[in-house]
Amino acid sequence: MRSCEDKAVKVFDAKLNSNDELYSQEKLLDLSVGCDGILSSLTDKLDEDTINKLPGSVKILSNFAVGFGNINIVAAKKKNILVTNTPEVLTDATAEIGILLILGACRRASEGIEAARESSWKWSADYLIGKQLTGTRLGILGMGRIGRKIAKIAMSLGMVIHYHNRSKLNADKENGATYHKELKSLLSVSDVLSVCCPASKETVNLINKDTLEYLPKGAVVTNVARGDIVDDEALIDALNRRKVYAVGLDVYKGEPNLNPGYLKHKSAFILPHLGSATKETRTAMANLAINNLEEFFKTGNCKNKVN
Ligand code: NAP
């Protein structure tokens, strides 16, 4: 990542956040004085109020992520600020974590790791029996770049793929997966659910008390997208009732804090937002976020704009 920071400093008159400090709104606004653009990360909360208070010189927010739930893109648009993201380059790494969540939750990895570390186990024919993926139906909520890559790997593991998007994909992109126009229809066939859609007004708490009931009893719920899509209380309640067998989570509402209800469940396989965390991917994301700024300052536009 050092090379990316060097590049940013070479190309721009850049102020770096070298200690990865979590900026308050006040500090973010102070630092933005005199800036033409901001390279933000998902921990920078650029809500309506913050955007409205940004100095008029700021014309672009180049987000270091494909998701942009940390930015109010409507408020940015109103202020004539372009918002860009980093699609494609993080698809493979995030899909790998999506698969890890499925495997970890289905095969009881949290319990296994704890027992192995404590040497508190003895092999027996029925010890830590989990769910086999081969032949199991995988429901993908949000069959975009990451969802499709997860589907491809899951198919090679013998899983049968179903998906729900607002729009049906063409046959090429579907690659044999079954489309469900309604979310509830997808949920009713999802032995394992993988949440891969963006966080938006439409998707906040899409997985909730009502929709969870459509899952088959003993389903596994995984989320590699954003915590806001899941109603935690409802999912924890479904775990308590064994309606849901296990969960695999990489993202949380209000992260880095997570609902303590998950911690009571050994069947919760939880990771600290590791989706894109490989050297290759983070470097590619940083380069793309810098390139987005360069493209905008050269042309006044950017192919990765989202507003
Ligand atoms: P993408 O290519 O834009 O795919 C998003 C998919 O979600 C599309 O197929 C879209 O289809 C579907 N979708 C959008 N709104 C929907 C709705 N209301 N109901 C049902 N489906 C909906 O995005 P991506 O690159 O795969 O990334 C997906 C998300 O993953 C990002 O937004 C980000 O939040 C998250 N992510 C997480 C990590 C991590 O570290 N864990 C890393 C990268 C990305 P339609 O438009 O047809 O509905």
Side-chain angles (χ1 to χ4, degrees):
M1 299 302 291
R2 186 61 211 250
S3 62
C4 303
E5 290 185 347
D6 290 348
K7 181 176 166 181
V9 170
K10 209 167 147 195
V11 180
F12 303 108
D13 176 13
K15 298 176 194 171
L16 301 178
N17 180 357
S18 302
N19 304 323
D20 289 334
E21 187 185 334
L22 280 180
Y23 289 148
S24 62
Q25 186 205 45
E26 205 181 9
K27 179 129 192 207
L28 212 146
L29 291 172
D30 276 354
L31 286 169
S32 63
V33 172
C35 291
D36 302 305
I38 298 175
L39 196 159
S40 52
S41 84
L42 50 85
T43 54
D44 295 313
K45 301 287 170 231
L46 290 150
D47 55 15
E48 185 174 7
D49 184 50
T50 311
I51 287 178
N52 287 339
K53 289 179 181 157
L54 282 174
S57 57
V58 174
K59 291 291 170 218
I60 175 167
L61 303 174
S62 171
N63 212 34
F64 178 74
V66 66
F68 40 87
N70 56 310
I71 302 179
N72 186 321
I73 59 170
V74 178
K77 179 105 185 157
K78 269 193 205 149
K79 224 183 152 184
N80 207 18
I81 297 175
L82 195 84
V83 180
T84 62
N85 69 347
T86 60
E88 314 281 355
V89 293
L90 41 56
T91 299
D92 291 345
T94 308
E96 287 172 9
I97 290 290
I99 291 291
L100 180 60
L101 296 178
I102 294 170
L103 280 165
C106 287
R107 300 301 302 271
R108 303 176 66 176
S110 294
E111 288 164 89
I113 291 167
E114 195 179 312
R117 283 186 181 281
E118 292 173 355
S119 300
S120 61
W121 58 283
K122 180 166 72 97
W123 192 93
S124 75
D126 57 3
Y127 177 62
L128 276 190
I129 297 299
K131 273 187 191 290
Q132 185 153 323
L133 302 190
T134 316
T136 297
R137 298 168 298 181
L138 173 63
I140 297 189
L141 165 55
M143 187 80 142
R145 291 169 290 241
I146 294 166
R148 289 199 297 278
K149 183 70 194 250
I150 289 176
K152 193 172 170 193
I153 303 169
M155 271 171 79
S156 75
L157 294 169
M159 298 188 89
V160 180
I161 315 298
H162 295 255
Y163 76 98
H164 166 68
N165 273 356
R166 288 164 303 179
S167 343
K168 190 178 185 310
L169 298 172
N170 63 34
D172 212 28
K173 285 189 169 164
E174 255 179 6
N175 196 20
T178 304
Y179 178 61
H180 295 257
K181 193 167 171 40
E182 301 301 329
L183 173 64
K184 288 171 181 174
S185 164
L186 173 79
L187 295 177
S188 69
V189 297
S190 297
D191 301 315
V192 179
L193 177 71
S194 175
V195 177
C196 301
C197 64
S200 68
K201 271 188 195 147
E202 280 176 43
T203 63
V204 168
N205 288 338
L206 205 51
I207 302 304
N208 58 41
K209 188 169 183 286
D210 172 37
T211 52
L212 280 166
E213 284 316 298
Y214 286 82
L215 289 168
K217 184 159 172 59
V220 169
V221 175
T222 68
N223 183 4
V224 74
R226 284 291 180 267
D228 285 337
I229 302 160
V230 173
D231 175 341
D232 293 319
E233 291 297 335
L235 184 54
I236 291 162
D237 178 59
L239 272 169
N240 292 341
R241 292 184 287 113
R242 309 222 169 166
K243 166 77 184 172
V244 165
Y245 171 83
V247 297
L249 307 171
D250 187 43
V251 285
Y252 310 89
K253 269 197 183 81
E255 54 186 58
N257 302 313
L258 63 154
N259 191 308
Y262 289 122
L263 303 178
K264 293 186 191 134
H265 282 279
K266 289 185 174 174
S267 56
F269 178 71
I270 51 176
L271 296 176
H273 204 145
L274 295 182
S276 61
T278 67
K279 190 176 174 197
E280 297 85 341
T281 293
R282 288 282 164 82
T283 304
M285 288 166 68
N287 282 325
L288 185 52
I290 294 168
N291 292 348
N292 286 342
L293 289 166
E294 275 192 290
E295 186 185 336
F296 172 74
F297 288 120
K298 272 190 195 137
T299 68
N301 210 339
C302 179
K303 71 173 183 312
N304 291 320
K305 70 177 172 189
V306 296
N307 69 341

